[in-house]
Amino acid sequence: MDDTGMLEEAYERLHRTGPEFEGWLSNHGPMAVESMVRRGRARDVHRWLDAYMDRLEELPSGTWTITDGGWREALGDGRRLGDWLSFFETELKRQPWRAVLETWWPRLLPGIAAGATHGVIRTGHAVRELLSHEDEMRLAELGQALGYWAARWQTVAATATPSGTADPAGALAGVPRVPDQNQGINHRLAQLAGTAGWEGSLAALRPAADAEQARERLAELANAATLRYLAHAHGNPVMLVHSATAPTAVLRTLPALPTSLWGPSLAAAWAASAAVIAAYGPAEPAPREDLPAAPEREEAFDRAVRHGDEHAIKFADTALDVYDRTGDPDALAAVIRAVDSIAPL
């Protein structure tokens, strides 16, 4: 079986399960297996799923229909998760997927924090596949990703438009930590509006002059967040992964969107990445001498797959993109930091 068929089989297994389990935990299965197939590890997909899927729950059913005129009331209502999944399943049968994405991306983008940014991340993985190959299973995956995002839609508080002079690395370095880094992500994000320096740090990023510059700045943001992870992962090695994977997901989606949406996409991705840093970043970076050395490029992803944790696999996928853009070996070393810091599957 070729890699395309392997991914279709994996999606078929996963689409019997819901986007969440054990409360608010996100089902990472579709994102992890897409990364594995994309990176040439299709042979490991079913073995990995056999170990991962025992924790997942059944696909939720809908209760009442979301209409074109009533979607705003249902946005961000987790009780309507089954309704949103049904809605996008229908929409993607009625219209071309690019048309659905063009309509819903600007509606969903302000709620980029949805599911601790997993709504947009899952969407980015789905779009990357559809840009390569369109079929029923990949369309279904996009529908589940968008439905999950809509049901858990959540804004980042006190968002300011980038208007400063800092590059992404410098702007991330200036993001303040929330006062109370305890409890879950909702408790932490709720503090952003009252955190001293938060709005100023968001405004510090240098704005993009046009769509192409927005794309370049998004790539720079993904680069900076990935490289920053190497020395800062001890703040929370799982959650800080998303400071890099969320802007990467937005970057991967841009080719399917009108260029008029690229600027707003940068602003939202920047706010999401900064929010994760504020919520989970440590007070001080780890000493350089305590950090791992960089492996060979292919070994980095192999190590993540052997480790098995879904966050490590997704982060390795992002880190390889960063290494290919920058040639910086710290991107590969960051993968080893994740593998060493996160509990294996």
Side-chain angles (χ1 to χ4, degrees):
M1 178 183 298
D2 62 15
D3 290 356
T4 296
M6 187 67 73
L7 185 58
E8 290 168 5
E9 281 193 358
Y11 279 158
E12 185 174 12
R13 291 180 67 180
L14 286 160
H15 290 168
R16 302 167 193 159
T17 65
E20 295 178 333
F21 61 98
E22 296 178 12
W24 282 55
L25 296 181
S26 296
N27 177 355
H28 290 70
M31 299 172 270
V33 298
E34 193 273 337
S35 296
M36 291 166 69
V37 171
R38 176 73 53 168
R39 299 296 178 180
R41 296 299 296 261
R43 64 186 181 276
D44 297 300
V45 163
H46 283 300
R47 174 191 58 78
W48 185 85
L49 282 176
D50 289 343
Y52 183 74
M53 288 187 64
D54 283 348
R55 70 186 73 183
L56 302 181
E57 299 173 3
E58 292 184 1
L59 187 71
S61 57
T63 52
W64 64 95
T65 301
I66 293 172
T67 64
D68 289 340
W71 60 268
R72 287 177 178 81
E73 291 75 13
L75 199 62
D77 187 346
R79 298 168 300 177
R80 307 290 302 275
L81 177 56
D83 300 326
W84 276 114
L85 296 176
S86 297
F87 175 82
F88 280 107
E89 180 182 15
T90 300
E91 286 297 288
L92 288 164
K93 290 176 180 176
R94 284 200 314 120
Q95 303 180 65
W97 70 268
R98 288 173 182 264
V100 174
L101 187 67
E102 182 176 346
T103 297
W104 281 92
W105 184 261
R107 294 174 177 177
L108 296 176
L109 196 61
I112 196 170
T117 72
H118 287 108
V120 71
I121 294 171
R122 187 166 175 178
T123 299
H125 281 272
V127 170
R128 179 167 68 166
E129 275 303 307
L130 283 167
L131 288 169
S132 299
H133 181 78
E134 295 183 26
D135 62 20
E136 183 178 351
M137 282 298 170
R138 286 165 175 80
L139 290 171
E141 173 55 21
L142 178 61
Q144 292 209 5
L146 293 173
Y148 177 39
W149 188 355
R152 288 301 183 194
W153 190 90
Q154 182 182 6
T155 60
V156 175
T159 300
T161 302
S163 57
T165 60
D167 63 13
L172 283 177
V175 171
R177 301 165 72 232
V178 298
D180 182 14
Q181 284 194 340
N182 292 298
Q183 303 182 49
I185 189 168
N186 286 342
H187 171 72
R188 298 175 190 228
L189 294 184
Q191 300 173 59
L192 287 174
T195 297
W198 166 245
E199 288 192 59
S201 70
L202 283 185
L205 182 68
R206 185 168 63 247
D210 52 34
E212 183 55 30
Q213 199 169 86
R215 185 196 64 78
E216 293 170 358
R217 194 83 77 245
L218 259 174
E220 292 169 0
L221 174 58
N223 298 346
T226 300
L227 297 172
R228 182 182 174 84
Y229 182 91
L230 176 61
H232 294 81
H234 54 286
N236 188 304
V238 168
M239 293 305 297
L240 286 169
V241 159
H242 305 97
S243 67
T245 54
T248 295
V250 175
L251 181 63
R252 290 171 177 170
T253 306
L254 292 188
L257 296 170
T259 55
S260 60
L261 294 176
W262 291 15
S265 297
L266 167 63
W270 161 238
S273 186
V276 174
I277 297 291
Y280 293 97
E284 298 291 339
R288 183 73 199 197
E289 59 268 23
D290 293 344
L291 302 178
E296 295 296 321
R297 182 185 184 281
E298 298 308 318
E299 175 63 15
F301 195 77
D302 288 349
R303 284 281 300 275
V305 173
R306 292 199 301 271
H307 180 269
D309 177 78
E310 58 272 28
H311 301 90
I313 291 170
K314 291 190 309 163
F315 183 68
D317 178 39
T318 284
L320 288 190
D321 281 355
V322 173
Y323 178 75
D324 291 343
R325 284 194 295 265
T326 67
D328 192 330
D330 278 356
L332 304 179
V335 177
I336 305 307
R337 185 81 197 279
V339 168
D340 289 347
S341 304
I342 298 173
L345 179 65

